[in-house]
Amino acid sequence: MSRHARASEKVVIALGGNALVPPEGQGDVREQLRSIRGSAQQIAKIISEGAQVVLTHGNGPQVGHLLLQQEEARRWAPPQPLDVCVAMTQGQIGYLLQQALQSALRERGLSPPVVTVVTQVLVDPRDPAFEEPTKPIGPFYSEEEAEELRRTKGYALKRVGNGERPYRRVVASPRPLGIVEEDGIRELVEAGCVVIACGGGGVPVMRTDGCLRGVEAVVDKDLASERLATALRADTLLILTDVERVALRYDTPEQVDLERLTAEEARRYLEAGEFPPGSMGPKVEAAVRFVENGGKRAVIASLTQAVQALEGRAGTTIVR
Ligand code: ADP
Ligand code: MG
């Protein structure tokens, strides 16, 4: 596709974990900057070709570390609840992304405002996910520590590993209904800003008697990105991860990579169990929902092939 044809295409780009921390890394800020600068180059290229870009991103390792810091420092500073920690990581990662993206854009002679929006995502108090928390977060605990946390804080804990500290806190991962800040984000996009939003899937909130309050849960970042992309009437939802394509019989000798499929086909494979819940499942589901809700196409691709993916030369494209 030529530079011209893509001009003013509105694209929501969801950045996966490897866009923010190298897979082998410990998550210190120098490593984070290394990954983030690489991602920023790709995104700056896409913006320089004329696309209107909104970025979303995960926060797994960052919020894990922050929760660990809350626990370990509790004698000196009161631990902050999970919703506040998610908001903190939005600021942390947003700051690093803003800086890297501003520099990468500048190298290309561009200087649009780049802004991060602390984003709340509405969830339903009656979401069945609250009955059975499944998403492990934060540090690992011994049996005694787990018991203590269950008693004193009412945490749900699950045995997820072996060894001396096999327990982790698990929280619900409810479905995102809508983005509280969508009107503000839309105005920023219309005004020419590059917006970073929905970090870590957004801070889950519930509305009771007209008031919002934070919930100790996590929202999947791909599903939240679909809500945002749909609300903004984006043309394209681009989900960047660490594999080149969505595959059938993934990681078996019969693996088949998919280049293009309809929402209907994708849904069929999803229901047949081709895409597991914690990883590829929510990406394909987000893609399907986006095109069913009026989006032109969703593309799931490798971070390193972001530019080609938008041109339809890489990744898996899902259309209506
Ligand atoms: P991110 O951090 O980018 O959100 P995830 O780790 O959650 O990424 O999901 C991407 C991973 O999904 C890939 O690294 C791959 O191992 C896994 N995966 C599972 N099933 C499939 C499949 N059918 N096709 C492609 N990748 C798959
Ligand atoms: Mg990952």
Side-chain angles (χ1 to χ4, degrees), residues 32-245:
Q32 292 190 60
L33 271 172
R34 184 151 47 85
S35 285
I36 286 176
R37 283 183 183 138
S39 314
Q41 286 299 338
Q42 301 268 328
I43 293 153
K45 175 128 204 288
I46 290 168
I47 295 168
S48 74
E49 289 176 2
Q52 279 183 308
V53 168
V54 176
L55 281 182
T56 66
H57 61 83
N59 73 344
Q62 292 85 357
V63 82
H65 286 160
L66 193 51
L67 290 165
L68 179 60
Q69 288 162 357
Q70 306 304 303
E71 296 282 318
E72 290 299 316
R74 63 166 57 250
R75 279 193 289 149
W76 298 282
Q80 302 298 307
L82 178 57
D83 57 321
V84 175
C85 288
V86 172
M88 286 162 82
T89 63
Q90 291 184 346
Q92 169 197 5
I93 301 165
Y95 155 66
L96 296 173
L97 275 169
Q98 276 174 212
Q99 201 174 65
L101 201 51
Q102 280 157 348
S103 304
L105 286 164
R106 232 187 142 80
E107 284 168 20
R108 293 168 188 275
L110 296 170
S111 53
V114 182
V115 292
T116 300
V117 175
V118 174
T119 314
Q120 306 174 84
V121 171
L122 209 57
V123 301
D124 182 351
R126 285 158 310 185
D127 192 309
F130 288 111
E131 280 153 39
E132 205 205 333
T134 52
K135 177 84 186 164
I137 54 154
F140 288 77
Y141 303 107
S142 68
E143 176 135 29
E144 296 75 52
E145 290 167 325
E147 195 42 55
E148 162 97 17
L149 286 165
R150 199 172 280 142
R151 213 179 53 243
T152 58
K153 307 207 70 172
Y155 286 180
L157 289 116
K158 247 194 199 140
R159 194 187 184 97
V160 292
N162 296 305
E164 278 176 27
R165 306 173 86 83
Y167 287 88
R168 267 183 110 184
R169 182 180 178 195
V170 284
V171 294
S173 187
R175 222 158 240 303
L177 301 176
I179 309 296
V180 176
E181 287 74 20
E182 75 169 63
D183 293 340
I185 295 169
R186 186 180 302 108
E187 299 231 348
L188 289 166
V189 174
E190 298 302 315
C193 298
V194 177
V195 182
I196 301 156
C198 280
V203 181
V205 296
M206 288 174 180
R207 201 187 294 281
T208 34
D209 304 326
C211 289
L212 294 175
R213 72 185 164 80
V215 186
E216 297 220 36
V218 292
V219 174
D220 180 83
K221 72 115 176 28
D222 297 307
L223 297 177
S225 303
E226 182 280 323
R227 294 286 68 207
L228 182 62
T230 296
L232 296 176
R233 296 188 172 282
D235 301 288
T236 303
L237 172 62
L238 174 60
I239 299 177
L240 297 177
T241 183
D242 56 2
V243 286
E244 292 192 0
R245 286 197 163 96

Side-chain angles (χ1 to χ4, degrees), residues 16-17 221 240-243 245-247 250 274-276 278-280 283:
K221 72 115 176 28
L240 297 177
T241 183
D242 56 2
V243 286
R245 286 197 163 96
V246 179
Y250 177 71
E274 291 281 353
F275 316 125
S279 57
M280 193 46 75
K283 295 181 202 310

Side-chain angles (χ1 to χ4, degrees), residues 259-270:
E259 272 179 46
R260 193 181 171 87
L261 64 168
T262 64
E264 202 182 318
E265 289 167 330
R267 196 174 275 292
R268 202 155 1 97
Y269 294 137
L270 198 56

